[in-house]
Amino acid sequence: MTAAVQSNMPAPTPDISGVEFAISADGLPVARIDDLVLGMVTSTSGFAFLASAVAVRRPLADLTRADFIGHDGRVADEAEFRALVAETAAHKRDLAKLKRVQTRMSASTPWGGSQMAVIYAEGVVSHSTAGHGGFHLSADRNARVHLLLRKETPWYEEDCEWAIVAISFPELFTGYERSLAEKTVRNTWPDAWEAIHRCVLAGGESWAKDRRAFDERHAADFVVTSAIFSNHHAGMTEVVAVVGGDRRSGGERRFLVPCDEYASRGRFGFVIDPSRHVEYHGPSSFIGWRSRGSGS
């Protein structure tokens, strides 16, 4: 059975209640959700990104790009901006219904002493430290985590493992957080996800599974590990490649690849085609190769 991660059902109409939209003084789409202001700002490179500001009380029509300081990723167009605003508004509404308590408590975590804690519920506490953070679960709570995802220790770090806590106790998280957690588990622990859901993830539905398939498919191929625009051959990229893309295996070889072709490489790397990419032994643009004194 293949997982139906992408639904064919029409997307629900975004709930934008409580959101104020406007155009700023310098022509930016902007929106206000309580004390949060979001804007669709265009960079000097021409792409748009989501920007934010807090506690800006002036009318939206009076704002300018200088009012925004946060940067929250690229935005394709105004329709996507409005969808992100609606998603943020829903997240804030969900948060208001939860009974999280922010406090300070003396606790030693795997990442250092706790500087701030958020109690999600009895036995579910998130800790922040000077450098990292994550969740601590009581023994009873940890026993309720699915065996395939449960850790032997009760600590779940904040980068990826937080998602295990979120899917284990969904009632303690917002809809946005639950959606992100499901995606994180699917991308990070695909085997566990498939076993739990009794489904098979198709290509493109899990980063980790796709990465594993790429590595298996190209285990005997030369995969690029370094690249630089060639100073000696116009329009070409000089690359260094090793078998399977594993630098530890040694046996580095250089190739010249057309810049346009290399720019279209996949997310897991560029694979050398020996029928088209001839091994290169000429002058190198890599400082490391020049310093080897091998005549290249």
Side-chain angles (χ1 to χ4, degrees), residues 110-289:
W111 316 286
S114 176
Q115 295 185 341
M116 184 64 67
V118 178
I119 302 172
Y120 281 59
E122 183 177 355
V124 182
V125 182
S126 173
H127 291 275
S128 298
T129 73
H132 203 52
F135 280 90
H136 178 267
L137 299 182
S138 66
D140 289 345
R141 288 282 189 176
N142 202 36
R144 292 166 57 185
V145 175
H146 195 285
L147 184 61
L148 292 176
L149 294 171
R150 186 189 310 153
K151 297 181 64 180
E152 293 183 1
T153 70
W155 295 97
Y156 294 79
E157 59 85 30
E158 65 185 6
D159 287 343
C160 294
E161 292 173 355
W162 75 272
I164 297 174
V165 178
I167 67 168
S168 300
F169 308 101
E171 70 280 4
L172 303 181
F173 292 82
T174 69
Y176 169 75
E177 291 169 335
R178 293 194 299 271
S179 175
L180 182 59
E182 192 279 336
K183 184 182 299 182
T184 300
V185 171
R186 175 162 39 88
N187 279 317
T188 311
W189 300 281
D191 295 339
W193 192 98
E194 289 179 334
I196 292 170
H197 293 275
R198 298 181 181 179
C199 295
V200 176
L201 291 164
E205 294 179 343
S206 170
W207 186 94
K209 186 173 182 179
D210 290 349
R211 174 82 232 200
R212 187 166 59 207
F214 176 89
D215 290 342
E216 292 173 353
R217 189 164 59 251
H218 298 293
D221 296 326
F222 277 90
V223 180
V224 172
T225 58
S226 301
I228 191 171
F229 288 118
S230 175
N231 294 325
H232 306 281
H233 300 274
M236 303 297 284
T237 298
E238 181 184 351
V239 303
V240 175
V242 296
V243 173
D246 185 357
R247 290 183 174 89
R248 297 169 299 180
S249 66
E252 294 177 326
R253 296 186 185 179
R254 290 184 300 140
F255 300 84
L256 288 178
V257 177
C259 291
D260 291 345
E261 184 179 354
Y262 186 75
S264 65
R265 62 193 179 278
R267 59 177 173 164
F268 300 125
F270 187 89
V271 180
I272 295 297
D273 181 348
S275 69
R276 295 187 300 107
H277 307 132
V278 179
E279 188 173 355
Y280 177 61
H281 300 283
S284 179
S285 297
F286 285 107
I287 295 175
W289 280 88

Side-chain angles (χ1 to χ4, degrees), residues 19 32 68 92 183 225 296:
V19 180
R32 175 177 278 123
F68 296 93
K92 289 176 71 68
K183 184 182 299 182
T225 58
S296 59

